[in-house]
């Protein structure tokens, strides 16, 4: 019997259906792997971050909360719209006020939300890393470094660092969203531009570090397209794609002008007044680099310049646009804090850490390929890998321990090179590096002991609040209250902040002895006098008992 031939059109239809389901299956498999990676990263982060739930309020948190409570929710919302005003980091109101309304001065919900915000940033950072590197292993290694750094523990353990956490969340989200659209070789449409700009405004409202985002996006555009030798053609072909970064740059310029020239600008405070000089810039960046590698003495300026030059040279030699973008990143992103004294540290380096993490992940990936390429014999490859591991470990971590971990991992990787197929070897080698990073982070976290100190200090503010609550007093509306405090707060105005927040009554007039200058007439109108010490809060006068 002759087999009946199939209609070519039917074959085409079946082929399309088959390819469609294969595509869905492949996409689903890739998505599941990415989901597993993100789950592992969040679990790794929570291992370090969950102890922060036992923390109290940082020394600055009563002040931060008071700054939003005093003007009220409507003014805070309007300040988020008028992002250029001198209102202090208005995005913080979106965090503090809802928590205060629902939970009062119970610190645990604040810590839960702060940890949740940082945890929510992890899949965004992983997504951004995947977009930039197109390598799952490189993205995973870079993200695990950013997700928790022992010298940046205050990002989750200190409540006043919520501004850095919020800024990081919106900064990374805005950039990831922008690059996601651009990697599809499509220009942002009007709605997409609006989303990008709104995310950027939220980042600005969280912290001043966000001003660098338009520059990073514009550099990404310049590096994305070839043909830079003909600038006229480049501008003509890509002018539309540059519109979102340029508009964001205009918003940043308005923001900077408002913050520096408005009434009561932020730069009037001594700690926010820049000291512009080449020496200040280099000294700050040297300190930034050393803190990220767990050293607290600045590296020589010459070494910093050589490091920057080496990163740019390596990026150009590799012709890698991501490395070039990160080379610009590590120089430009810290600009908002590079001219401030005292030199910033801790959570302030959250954005900067991303650039160095991606550079490190890229270098490690290339070195793994180098070990694979030149592993001619087991003995040679083990020695070669151990040497490379020692150098990297000593340069990026605490020197003795980092060198030991690096040597062990390098030797193990090189030993695997002679026994495994290339694909399996790369996976095994990257896994060993990731485990080494996790072990080193655990050791550094224990060595530095930042978390324990922050937790202990945070409880002092909670104890002060509880002592004030022990008065079991709710003054009559419109009362005048004088606080006499000898509690050794870092901020001498803290007793006033605590009293205002405990009573939650805007009609009360609260004065702090030694800080507010009162006339004799004002003193005669005082209804309540309260003594606030480290051991107790005591009512000295009230309308019911004029003289206690």
């Amino acid at each position: 019997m002759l087999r009946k031939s199939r209609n070519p059109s039917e074959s085409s239809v079946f082929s399309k259906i088959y390819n469609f389901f294969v595509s869905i299956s492949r996409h689903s498999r890739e998505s599941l792997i990415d989901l597993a990676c993100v789950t592992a990263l969040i679990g790794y982060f929570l291992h370090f971050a969950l102890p922060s739930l036992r923390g109290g309020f940082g020394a600055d948190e009563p002040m931060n909360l008071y700054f939003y409570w005093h003007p009220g929710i409507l003014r805070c919302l309007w300040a988020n719209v008028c992002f250029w005003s001198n209102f202090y980091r208005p995005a913080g109101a979106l965090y503090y006020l809802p928590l205060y309304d629902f939970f009062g001065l119970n610190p645990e919900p604040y810590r839960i939300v702060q940890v949740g915000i940082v945890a929510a940033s992890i899949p965004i950072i992983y997504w951004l890393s995947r977009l930039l590197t197109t390598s799952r292993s490189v993205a995973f290694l870079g993200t695990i470094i950013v997700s928790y750094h022992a010298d940046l523990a205050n990002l989750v353990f200190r409540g006043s660092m919520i501004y850095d956490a919020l800024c990081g969340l919106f900064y990374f989200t805005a950039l990831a969203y922008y690059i996601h659209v651009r990697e599809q070789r499509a220009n942002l449409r009007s709605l997409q531009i609006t989303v990008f700009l709104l995310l950027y405004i939220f980042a600005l409202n969280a912290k001043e570090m966000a001003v660098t985002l338009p520059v990073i996006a514009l550099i990404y555009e310049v590096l994305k397209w070839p043909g830079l030798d003909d600038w006229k053609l480049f501008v003509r072909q890509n002018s539309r794609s540059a519109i979102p970064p340029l508009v964001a740059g205009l918003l940043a310029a308005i923001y900077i002008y408002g913050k520096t020239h408005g009434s009561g600008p932020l730069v009037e405070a001594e700690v926010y007044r820049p000291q512009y000089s080449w020496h200040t810039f280099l000294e700050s960046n040297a300190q930034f680099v050393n803190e990220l590698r767990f050293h607290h003495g600045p590296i020589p300026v010459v070494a910093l310049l050589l490091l920057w030059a080496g990163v740019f040279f390596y990026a150009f030699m590799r012709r890698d646009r991501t490395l070039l973008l990160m080379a610009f990143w590590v120089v430009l992103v810290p600009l908002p804090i590079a001219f401030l004294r005292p030199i910033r540290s801790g959570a302030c380096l959250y954005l900067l850490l991303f650039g160095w993490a991606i550079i490190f992940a890229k270098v490690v990936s290339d070195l793994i390929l180098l070990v694979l390429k030149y592993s001619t014999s087991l003995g040679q490859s083990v020695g070669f890998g151990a040497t490379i591991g020692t150098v990297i470990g000593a340069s990026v971590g605490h020197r003795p321990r980092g060198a030991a971990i690096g040597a062990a991992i390098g030797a193990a990787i090189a030993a695997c090179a002679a026994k495994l197929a290339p694909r399996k070897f790369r996976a095994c080698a990257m896994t060993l590096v990731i485990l080494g990073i996790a072990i080193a982070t655990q050791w550094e976290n224990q060595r530095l002991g930042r978390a324990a100190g922050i937790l202990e200090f945070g409880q002092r503010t909670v104890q002060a609040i509880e002592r004030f609550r022990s008065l079991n007093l709710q003054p009559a509306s419109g009362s005048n209250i004088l606080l006499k405090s000898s509690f050794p707060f870092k901020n001498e105005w803290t007793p006033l902040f605590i009293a205002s927040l405990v009573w939650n009554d805007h009609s009360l007039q609260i004065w702090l002895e030694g800080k507010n200058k009162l006339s004799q007439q004002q003193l005669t109108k005082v209804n309540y006098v309260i003594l606030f010490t480290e051991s107790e809060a005591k009512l000295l006068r009230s309308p019911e008992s004029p003289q206690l």
Side-chain angles (χ1 to χ4, degrees):
M1 292 179 65
L2 292 175
R3 182 177 294 178
K4 187 177 180 180
S5 62
R6 180 174 290 177
N7 191 321
S9 62
E10 290 182 20
S11 299
S12 177
V13 170
F14 281 117
S15 176
K16 289 180 179 179
I17 293 174
Y18 174 78
N19 290 335
F20 173 73
F21 281 106
V22 167
S23 175
I24 290 177
S25 176
R26 185 182 298 114
H27 180 74
S28 299
R29 186 170 61 252
E30 294 292 311
S31 298
L32 285 174
I33 294 173
D34 285 329
L35 179 61
C37 289
V38 168
T39 302
L41 288 165
I42 293 176
Y44 170 83
F45 163 74
L46 291 177
H47 164 73
F48 294 103
L50 285 180
S52 69
L53 302 186
R54 302 194 305 268
F57 287 115
D60 292 334
E61 285 201 273
M63 175 187 68
N64 295 341
L65 181 49
Y66 178 85
F67 279 174
Y68 305 120
W69 171 86
H70 186 264
I73 185 63
L74 292 179
R75 282 190 61 190
C76 290
L77 290 175
W78 183 244
N80 276 280
V81 176
C82 303
F83 61 91
W84 59 87
S85 70
N86 66 327
F87 199 98
Y88 181 75
R89 297 174 182 169
L94 306 179
Y95 163 80
Y96 277 113
L97 291 183
L99 287 169
Y100 176 69
D101 285 340
F102 282 102
F103 304 104
L105 295 178
N106 176 16
E108 188 174 11
Y110 294 78
R111 302 290 72 82
I112 291 173
V113 173
Q114 185 167 355
V115 169
I117 288 170
V118 180
S121 302
I122 291 174
I124 304 298
I125 294 170
Y126 177 77
W127 179 33
L128 176 59
S129 303
R130 287 278 277 134
L131 290 169
L132 290 172
T133 64
T134 67
S135 167
R136 183 176 288 111
S137 59
V138 172
F140 190 94
L141 177 57
T143 306
I144 202 171
I145 294 171
V146 180
S147 61
Y148 185 84
H149 188 287
D151 243 337
L152 276 64
N154 54 4
L155 184 67
V156 289
F157 281 87
R158 181 165 290 160
S160 56
M161 295 299 172
I162 186 62
Y163 303 106
D164 299 89
L166 287 170
C167 181
L169 174 64
F170 290 116
Y171 192 105
F172 291 128
T173 303
L175 187 59
Y177 178 75
Y178 178 84
I179 292 177
H180 167 69
V181 177
R182 296 295 295 123
E183 285 298 307
Q184 296 174 353
R185 296 197 173 270
N187 290 319
L188 273 71
R189 299 189 296 272
S190 299
L191 180 59
Q192 293 170 324
I193 293 175
T194 302
V195 172
F196 169 67
L197 294 178
L198 284 175
L199 290 169
Y200 178 52
I201 289 172
F202 275 118
L204 285 174
N205 284 339
K207 196 170 184 184
E208 303 74 29
M209 286 289 289
V211 295
T212 58
L213 179 58
V215 180
I216 296 297
L218 197 58
I219 293 173
Y220 165 82
E221 289 294 345
V222 173
L223 296 175
K224 180 178 175 63
W225 299 104
L228 298 183
D229 52 331
D230 189 343
W231 278 98
K232 291 183 179 179
L233 178 63
F234 173 78
V235 171
R236 188 164 57 250
Q237 290 182 345
N238 303 298
S239 57
R240 186 180 174 188
S241 62
I243 290 176
L246 292 176
V247 174
L250 178 61
L251 296 182
I254 295 171
Y255 172 87
I256 293 170
Y257 183 84
K259 294 296 182 183
T260 56
H261 293 83
S263 57
L266 191 63
V267 291
E268 284 186 1
E270 184 67 29
V271 294
Y272 291 109
R273 191 172 299 151
Q275 300 177 22
Y276 294 110
S277 72
W278 180 244
H279 172 75
T280 302
F281 174 70
L282 292 179
E283 183 184 4
S284 295
N285 276 280
Q287 181 65 43
F288 298 158
V289 169
N290 252 10
E291 183 157 346
L292 293 180
R293 54 191 287 266
F294 302 108
H295 289 260
H296 297 111
I299 62 175
V301 169
V302 174
L304 174 69
L305 294 174
L306 287 175
L307 177 62
W308 281 347
V311 170
F312 275 99
F313 177 76
Y314 178 62
F316 276 111
M317 290 295 293
R318 289 275 284 105
R319 297 183 180 180
D320 189 310
R321 292 193 179 99
T322 297
L323 276 174
L324 270 175
L325 180 62
M326 293 301 102
F328 283 107
W329 182 293
V330 298
V331 177
L332 297 176
V333 163
L335 279 175
I337 59 172
F339 297 99
L340 300 179
R341 287 291 184 273
I343 296 175
R344 273 27 181 191
S345 61
C348 296
L349 308 182
Y350 186 34
L351 296 181
L352 175 61
L353 176 61
F354 176 80
W356 285 115
I358 296 299
I359 291 171
F360 175 78
K362 280 275 193 177
V363 170
V364 166
S365 179
D366 286 348
L367 286 175
I368 288 172
L369 294 177
L370 190 67
V371 171
L372 179 63
K373 182 178 180 180
Y374 291 102
S375 57
T376 55
S377 68
L378 180 60
Q380 291 177 350
S381 65
V382 169
F384 180 58
T387 302
I388 292 178
T390 301
V391 173
I392 294 177
S395 62
V396 301
H398 192 252
R399 188 168 288 110
R401 185 172 287 169
I405 295 174
I409 292 174
I413 289 173
C416 292
K419 299 180 178 180
L420 298 177
R423 186 173 179 179
K424 290 183 178 179
F425 165 72
R426 289 196 295 269
C428 179
M430 191 61 80
T431 301
L432 287 171
V433 173
I434 290 168
L435 288 174
I437 293 292
I439 293 170
T441 301
Q442 177 70 26
W443 283 352
E444 292 296 339
N445 200 52
Q446 293 174 348
R447 181 181 70 86
L448 294 170
R450 308 264 175 171
I454 296 171
L455 289 175
E456 181 181 355
F457 196 82
Q459 289 301 325
R460 294 191 64 212
T461 305
V462 174
Q463 291 166 4
I465 293 171
E466 290 305 316
R467 288 193 181 95
F468 205 88
R469 280 176 171 162
S470 67
L471 287 171
N472 197 24
L473 173 69
Q474 183 60 53
S477 296
S479 297
N480 298 312
I481 302 161
L482 177 63
L483 298 177
K484 297 184 175 184
S485 175
S486 62
F487 202 108
F489 288 109
K490 177 183 176 182
N491 185 329
E492 294 178 352
W493 288 97
T494 299
L496 185 148
F497 303 146
I498 290 176
S500 299
L501 296 170
V502 167
W503 289 326
N504 192 19
D505 185 347
H506 286 81
S507 71
L508 299 178
Q509 177 65 61
I510 304 174
W511 294 308
L512 186 60
E513 188 178 60
K515 302 299 291 183
N516 295 111
K517 294 182 179 180
L518 304 180
S519 65
Q520 189 61 39
Q521 184 179 8
Q522 289 173 315
L523 286 172
T524 59
K525 293 182 179 180
V526 170
N527 306 111
Y528 298 86
V529 178
I530 296 173
L531 177 65
F532 195 14
T533 69
E534 196 167 4
S535 59
E536 65 174 347
K538 185 177 181 180
L539 183 63
L540 301 181
R541 182 199 302 174
S542 70
E544 294 79 16
S545 303
Q547 197 69 36
L548 291 178

